[in-house]
């Protein structure tokens, strides 16, 4: 970290700042220019509050030279992480597609969708049991019954399941869930992330609606700091000024996250676009950009879906998308 001091900084001020920084366990290198004094901080600066330093009258600017995320950082873990899920692998050379409805609605619905996406080649079944809806009057999910139905579909198809958690108190219900999803709205629910750090199940961490990649990686860091290294990052579109689409798919997040971190990166083109016909081009683009996987919403009757029907593919459309994605994947690997 580099701290630039103003020309007005007095000797006493500089000495007391250096003493404080050394008290934080840092080595301080001083260099003096014609007007400015530069303090180079060496050591673990992750505990240093940049805004606190910037707020000091004698400080001109502060620049972090290394990232505040350590466990998720590729610098300290050059190889891609490969995460195991119910006998499958995701990350590195391993690519997986997660598919299923936005919400689990009934035994017939989840089972028929599971069977069709499985037949198309999807490896992991998705389905929401706890739904984070903008309106409290909208369908909130089947809760524990939804998880039971997913487990039944898992039994019938052999597919591992991924479903969203919204409250750490619900963890006992997720005992047999293969991947626990943290949705966009909970990306910075730090108490939830800490609890998920205490278990060893894979966590699919979705990027928040208006969060930077560094914030996403810091949220992964919360989980990893507890010892759970099984984190999969998910780009699901961010909120921008564009409103023809539900969100804007930040495709550059894929190569950037892969550069910054060793964690697998998957893309959710369904929430990113909000429009079923855009799912295919966005899924293909995500794979071309290097995604380790996709999460796609599929419904047997999108027009009557209880949640996110407009962005849901029919099983036939999903089959088509899967074939296209496979060809792109072959072309780029
Ligand atoms: C979902 O996967 O159904 C969901 C609610 O996603 P997100 O958190 O990305 O909005
Ligand atoms: Mn959804």
């Amino acid at each position: 970290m580099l701290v630039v001091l103003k020309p007005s900084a007095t000797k006493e001020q500089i000495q007391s700042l250096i003493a404080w920084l050394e008290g934080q366990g840092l080595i301080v290198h001083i260099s003096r220019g014609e007007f400015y004094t530069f303090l180079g901080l060496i050591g673990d600066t992750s505990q240093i509050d940049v805004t606190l330093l910037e707020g000091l009258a004698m400080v001109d600017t502060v620049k972090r030279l290394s990232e505040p995320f350590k466990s998720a950082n590729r610098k300290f873990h050059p190889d891609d992480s490969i995460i195991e899920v119910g006998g499958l692998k995701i990350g590195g050379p391993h690519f997986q597609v997660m598919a299923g409805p936005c919400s689990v609605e009934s035994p017939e619905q989840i089972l028929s969708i599971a069977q069709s996406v499985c037949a198309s080649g999807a490896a992991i079944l998705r389905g929401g049991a706890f739904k984070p809806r903008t309106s409290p009057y909208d369908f909130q999910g089947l809760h524990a019954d939804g998880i039971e139905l997913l487990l039944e579909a898992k039994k019938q198809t052999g597919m591992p399941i991924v479903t969203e958690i919204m409250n750490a108190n619900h963890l006992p219900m997720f005992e047999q869930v293969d991947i626990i999803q943290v949705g966009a709205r909970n990306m910075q629910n730090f108490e939830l992330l800490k609890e998920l750090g205490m278990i060893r199940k894979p966590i699919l961490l979705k990027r928040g609606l208006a969060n930077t990649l560094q914030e996403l990686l810091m949220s992964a860091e919360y989980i990893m700091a507890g010892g759970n290294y099984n984190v999969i990052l998910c780009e699901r579109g961010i909120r921008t000024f564009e409103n023809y689409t539900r969100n804007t798919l930040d495709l550059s997040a894929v190569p950037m996250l892969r550069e910054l971190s060793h964690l697998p990166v998957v893309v959710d083109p369904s929430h990113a676009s909000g429009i079923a016909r855009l799912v295919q081009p966005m899924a293909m683009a995500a794979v071309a950009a290097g995604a380790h996987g996709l999460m796609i919403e599929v419904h047997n009757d999108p027009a009557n879906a209880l949640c996110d029907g407009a962005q849901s593919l029919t099983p036939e459309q999903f089959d088509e998308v899967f074939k296209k994605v496979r060809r792109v994947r072959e072309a780029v690997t």
Side-chain angles (χ1 to χ4, degrees):
M1 185 180 286
L2 183 69
V3 182
V4 182
L5 303 179
K6 287 179 183 160
S8 59
T10 65
K11 239 188 188 145
E12 292 72 32
Q13 283 177 324
I14 297 175
Q15 278 319 316
S16 87
L17 179 60
I18 291 174
W20 182 79
L21 290 165
E22 287 176 343
Q24 304 293 307
L26 299 170
I27 297 167
V28 182
H29 278 263
I30 314 171
S31 53
R32 291 179 212 279
E34 196 178 345
F35 301 108
Y36 292 90
T37 302
F38 303 85
L39 304 181
L41 311 187
I42 296 161
D44 179 11
T45 55
S46 61
Q47 307 299 321
I48 301 291
D49 183 345
V50 172
T51 52
L52 192 82
L53 283 180
E54 282 170 340
L56 298 176
M58 76 184 101
V59 172
D60 185 80
T61 43
V62 179
K63 189 160 172 49
R64 259 194 201 286
L65 302 176
S66 61
E67 299 88 3
F69 47 96
K70 299 281 175 256
S71 302
N73 202 319
R74 193 181 276 283
K75 276 187 197 142
F76 309 114
H77 187 300
D79 297 333
D80 278 355
S81 277
I82 295 172
I83 292 175
E84 305 213 8
V85 186
L88 297 169
K89 289 181 174 149
I90 182 159
H94 309 281
F95 174 85
Q96 304 296 350
V97 175
M98 310 175 192
C102 181
S103 332
V104 180
E105 298 174 8
S106 69
E108 301 73 31
Q109 177 245 21
I110 189 66
L111 192 60
S112 84
I113 297 171
Q115 283 164 339
S116 48
V117 297
C118 184
S120 295
I124 299 165
L125 176 65
R126 68 147 282 149
F130 290 90
K131 294 306 305 175
R133 306 303 300 274
T134 301
S135 167
Y137 309 117
D138 285 340
F139 177 61
Q140 303 286 307
L142 296 180
H143 299 173
D145 292 343
I147 296 184
E148 284 308 313
L149 295 179
L150 280 168
L151 290 172
E152 184 54 34
K154 171 181 171 174
K155 203 151 93 189
Q156 302 271 334
T157 58
M159 298 172 90
I161 56 172
V162 52
T163 191
E164 178 169 354
I165 194 166
M166 295 207 289
N167 184 334
N169 294 332
H170 295 161
L171 261 174
M173 282 184 242
F174 287 69
E175 198 78 26
Q176 295 177 69
V177 168
D178 300 278
I179 305 178
I180 300 181
Q181 174 173 327
V182 174
R185 290 152 193 84
N186 273 306
M187 189 203 90
Q188 288 192 315
N189 181 341
F190 301 118
E191 292 304 316
L192 175 63
L193 301 178
K194 284 185 209 167
E195 291 291 331
L196 298 175
M198 304 312 286
I199 60 173
R200 295 295 175 264
K201 253 185 215 308
I203 309 296
L204 179 82
L205 178 64
K206 291 186 126 189
R207 181 180 184 180
L209 282 77
N211 285 110
T212 64
L213 297 182
Q214 186 166 110
E215 286 163 344
L216 172 63
L217 290 167
M218 290 309 289
S219 290
E221 198 73 18
Y222 261 91
I223 301 168
M224 299 171 89
N228 187 357
Y229 274 62
N230 301 308
V231 180
I232 302 167
L233 304 171
C234 180
E235 162 60 35
R236 46 77 73 205
I238 48 173
R239 188 163 284 192
T240 67
F241 47 80
E242 180 50 62
N243 56 14
Y244 274 113
T245 48
R246 182 177 179 183
N247 291 294
T248 297
L249 178 57
D250 178 9
L251 262 188
S252 59
V254 178
M256 188 53 82
L257 286 171
R258 290 196 55 172
E259 194 175 302
L260 293 167
S261 178
H262 52 89
L263 297 173
V265 181
V266 312
V267 170
D268 169 350
S270 307
H271 291 88
S273 63
I275 301 170
R277 67 179 184 281
L278 296 193
V279 170
Q280 176 174 307
M282 293 300 94
M284 291 165 74
V287 176
H292 294 109
L294 294 169
M295 174 176 258
I296 297 180
E297 286 189 344
V298 180
H299 199 283
N300 53 330
D301 182 9
N304 291 300
L306 296 181
C307 185
D308 288 349
Q311 67 195 33
S312 298
L313 301 181
T314 61
E316 297 72 31
Q317 289 167 334
F318 175 73
D319 192 65
E320 185 70 18
V321 170
F322 192 93
K323 285 188 183 123
K324 287 268 164 65
V325 159
R326 187 150 51 195
R327 287 175 58 192
V328 174
R329 174 91 189 139
E330 281 162 11
V332 297
T333 49

